Amino acid sequence: KDAVEDGIIVIAAASNDNLMIVPEIDPTTGATHQDWNNTVTLSSLGNAVRHYHRGSAPGSGKGVICVGSISTDKDFIRSSFSNYGPKVDVWAPGSLIPSAYSNAGTADTKYGGSNYFKAISGTSMACPQVSGMAAMAAGNKWRYTSKDILGLIQQNSKLNDLTIDQ
């Protein structure tokens, strides 16, 4: 919250729970979103009550750009694990993305040493792609805000091309 209020652009993964996530204030009505206060009681955690449509930090924060994952399919289908809903601002590929990995991955013999890689999936793999795009767009620009970056993303993205329901 402090970072966003100080003008830092925060881009975060939506999380991998296959849950709908919503903003506190519904942009279509201006009222508290109808699903914001939905809860579940978890007996395995001593009857702890959790809000399950709010998402997780930092992606659920006000002013944070929240990134969901699309699958490897060419038809722009939501990855089955990705959270979805009106809180997700943008979607990027997040399934089977090659990444640096621990020694449980495939050895990278090109450079020697103990470097490994593996194709992994998650909204955390989609988020860096959006962050990189934002960094390029904001490069050498003074006082770009999260709203500016989100506006650029929305202006230069395909609208309504993603299939949420698989």
Side-chain angles (χ1 to χ4, degrees), residues 105-116:
T106 302
D108 183 356
T109 58
K110 183 174 181 180
Y111 299 107
S114 56
N115 300 310
Y116 297 86

Side-chain angles (χ1 to χ4, degrees), residues 12-156:
S15 201
N16 305 318
D17 304 309
N18 189 27
L19 291 174
M20 180 177 72
I21 55 176
V22 299
E24 181 177 7
I25 303 302
D26 188 333
T28 59
T29 66
T32 299
H33 195 284
Q34 67 180 6
D35 294 313
W36 180 253
N37 288 315
N38 292 354
T39 61
V40 62
T41 301
L42 303 170
S43 59
S44 62
L45 296 176
N47 292 326
V49 176
R50 299 288 189 260
H51 292 90
Y52 60 93
H53 284 311
R54 293 184 179 186
S56 59
S60 61
K62 185 177 180 181
V64 173
I65 298 172
C66 186
V67 182
S69 170
I70 59 175
S71 73
T72 58
D73 295 334
K74 62 183 175 184
D75 297 327
F76 294 107
I77 296 173
R78 175 182 68 90
S79 298
S80 61
F81 53 81
S82 181
N83 283 0
Y84 58 94
K87 181 60 181 137
V88 177
D89 296 304
V90 63
W91 298 84
S95 293
L96 300 175
I97 306 298
S99 180
Y101 206 74
S102 68
N103 61 1
T106 302
D108 183 356
T109 58
K110 183 174 181 180
Y111 299 107
S114 56
N115 300 310
Y116 297 86
F117 66 93
K118 183 175 182 179
I120 56 179
S121 300
T123 55
S124 293
M125 300 309 295
C127 188
Q129 296 180 65
V130 175
S131 298
M133 183 176 68
M136 293 294 291
N140 207 24
K141 303 283 191 274
W142 187 248
R143 300 285 185 207
Y144 256 39
T145 67
S146 291
K147 286 184 180 182
D148 294 329
I149 293 297
L150 187 55
L152 284 170
I153 291 169
Q154 290 170 341
Q155 288 172 6
N156 294 289

